[in-house]
Amino acid sequence: MQITKVARMLAAARQMGPELEQKSYTVMALLDGGMLRRHKSWLKAEPPAIVVATIGSLSQLLEKQILKLDSLRVLVVDEVDFLFKSSKQVSSLRKLLTSYSSCNNRQTVFASASILQHRRFRHDCIQQKWTKGDVVHVHVNRIMPMPACLYHRFVICGRKAKHQVLLSLLQSDLPESGIIFVGEQSEKSKKSGQAPSTTAVIDFLRASYEGSLDILLLEEDMNFNSRAASLTDVRKGDGYLLVSTDIVARGIDLPETTHIYNFDLPKTAIDYLHRAGRTCRKPFSDKKYYVTNIILSEERFVLQRFENELMFHCEELTIETQG
């Protein structure tokens, strides 16, 4: 939905260009979740020039031959490293790259903030015929993965004090808007009927936080309409505290976010990079932005590993908590 909105703006601007031939560019979003019949009627009524889709929704239409890629000229695959790591989506992605369309007839763009071992990846692209042979690697910010205006901090506390530390940070930081990242609920925890960590954080903040920011939730198990409603509330223009799992760590563009709080550390340095990338997104801004990690003493070495891999420095904070 987010990318479709930007694509439509760009398409409209191209139509209005005085030096260009007046041409209409229809942009269509293929949304997940039981909309097959609607997509079929839309495609028939007005065949799009640009399609924005998840791998799942696109594969569904291709398998049922509702959509064909005979005239495909440009294929952009965003967050490509994540898709190739996801066992659910990698087979569909390989089919898309080799069976439903040929690399010889299209330009292929693979994008991500974190394509590791890019020389090996480029070799695989050519060998597996995902791309043509003349692959060009474009690397932005080769030296510094993190922007200079982004400051990293950490607080060490006991497990039972984490909620109170988070509240103290919110009271002292006074963020314009923020995202609080909480770890995914384990399968064992789900089966035992325990409430997810996001619920505990949301309930605590709604009971204890007295600031002006709206407290919102976005997590994996929410259905499409609930997710869309949360993001609509976030984009209303008022300040927000969005409690979320890693579902928003990639791609979500919320330029008003000034603070990231890692209530639970991410599993990898790459996950840390993508979480941190949810802030510091306003072009030409000279503001300071913050990523704050609430960690146990035994997690300090994990954070140090992230610092070494991503080449940033994390400053320790001492927080006075009530009770």
Side-chain angles (χ1 to χ4, degrees):
M1 291 167 70
Q2 175 182 283
I3 293 169
T4 300
K5 183 180 177 182
V6 175
R8 284 175 178 155
M9 287 168 56
L10 294 171
R14 183 175 173 82
Q15 276 176 245
M16 292 163 58
E19 75 286 355
L20 295 165
E21 178 188 348
Q22 294 299 307
K23 187 177 177 182
S24 175
Y25 293 91
T26 306
V27 181
M28 179 177 173
L30 299 183
L31 305 176
D32 284 331
M35 302 183 72
L36 198 62
R37 188 176 298 174
R38 194 181 302 177
H39 288 148
K40 188 175 181 178
S41 62
W42 286 348
L43 286 162
K44 192 173 181 180
E46 191 173 7
I50 301 166
V51 172
V52 182
T54 62
I55 293 292
S57 60
L58 185 58
S59 296
Q60 190 180 29
L61 294 186
L62 291 170
E63 284 166 13
K64 295 185 181 297
Q65 298 188 335
I66 294 170
L67 178 68
K68 293 186 178 180
L69 301 181
D70 301 338
S71 58
L72 179 68
R73 291 293 169 264
V74 181
L75 176 65
V76 180
V77 182
D78 196 16
E79 308 294 357
V80 67
D81 60 318
F82 175 77
L83 291 175
F84 270 114
K85 283 180 185 175
S86 168
S87 58
K88 293 179 184 176
Q89 302 190 73
V90 69
S91 60
S92 298
L93 178 57
R94 288 176 188 272
K95 272 188 184 178
L96 174 63
L97 294 170
T98 56
S99 302
Y100 292 120
S101 65
S102 167
C103 66
N104 296 321
N105 300 330
R106 64 169 195 255
Q107 180 188 26
T108 309
V109 180
F110 290 138
S112 179
S114 52
I115 299 178
L116 300 177
Q117 298 179 320
H118 56 267
R119 288 187 181 86
R120 173 65 186 270
F121 182 69
R122 184 165 55 181
H123 174 266
D124 289 345
C125 287
I126 298 166
Q127 287 293 107
Q128 301 290 334
K129 294 187 167 35
W130 299 333
T131 66
K132 296 174 186 172
D134 53 345
V135 180
V136 176
H137 177 222
V138 180
H139 199 323
V140 182
N141 287 340
R142 182 187 297 269
I143 306 301
M144 295 292 291
M146 300 282 194
C149 59
L150 185 56
Y151 294 83
H152 303 262
R153 314 176 301 181
F154 70 94
V155 179
I156 294 177
C157 66
R159 193 179 300 278
K160 291 182 180 178
K162 289 180 79 170
H163 289 91
Q164 196 60 51
V165 166
L166 173 62
L167 182 62
S168 297
L169 285 165
L170 294 172
Q171 290 168 341
S172 59
D173 290 346
L174 299 176
E176 291 178 24
S177 287
I179 301 176
I180 301 163
F181 280 105
V182 180
E184 300 278 357
Q185 187 181 18
S186 68
E187 287 302 317
K188 184 179 178 182
S189 173
K190 283 181 184 178
K191 287 176 182 176
S192 65
Q194 293 180 22
S197 301
T198 46
T199 302
V201 173
I202 278 277
D203 290 347
F204 172 79
L205 289 177
R206 285 177 176 161
S208 308
Y209 174 70
E210 297 177 349
S212 60
L213 303 181
D214 293 330
I215 299 168
L216 303 166
L217 174 66
L218 191 64
E219 60 182 344
E220 192 76 38
D221 291 338
M222 292 168 68
N223 64 33
F224 175 83
N225 290 333
S226 298
R227 291 186 200 178
S230 283
L231 284 174
T232 299
D233 289 341
V234 162
R235 292 195 167 104
K236 278 180 179 174
D238 302 324
Y240 55 83
L241 284 175
L242 181 63
V243 178
S244 180
T245 57
D246 277 322
I247 190 172
V248 302
R250 287 178 181 253
I252 295 290
D253 185 34
L254 300 172
E256 304 308 317
T257 304
T258 56
H259 289 68
I260 300 293
Y261 298 95
N262 285 326
F263 186 82
D264 295 314
L265 272 184
K267 292 176 181 175
T268 68
I270 294 304
D271 293 335
Y272 187 99
L273 175 68
H274 284 280
R275 285 187 184 187
R278 294 318 96 211
T279 189
C280 208
R281 297 180 73 85
K282 271 196 174 179
F284 315 115
S285 172
D286 57 358
K287 280 184 182 178
K288 289 183 177 181
Y289 299 87
Y290 296 90
V291 179
T292 307
N293 303 281
I294 303 171
I295 63 173
L296 309 178
S297 57
E298 58 266 31
E299 293 177 314
R300 179 64 185 113
F301 82 97
V302 179
L303 187 57
Q304 284 176 325
R305 194 175 74 234
F306 295 168
E307 290 177 65
N308 294 336
E309 283 189 47
L310 299 173
M311 296 178 289
F312 68 90
H313 171 68
C314 214
E315 177 190 354
E316 183 171 7
L317 295 180
T318 303
I319 297 291
E320 295 293 330
T321 60
Q322 297 174 356

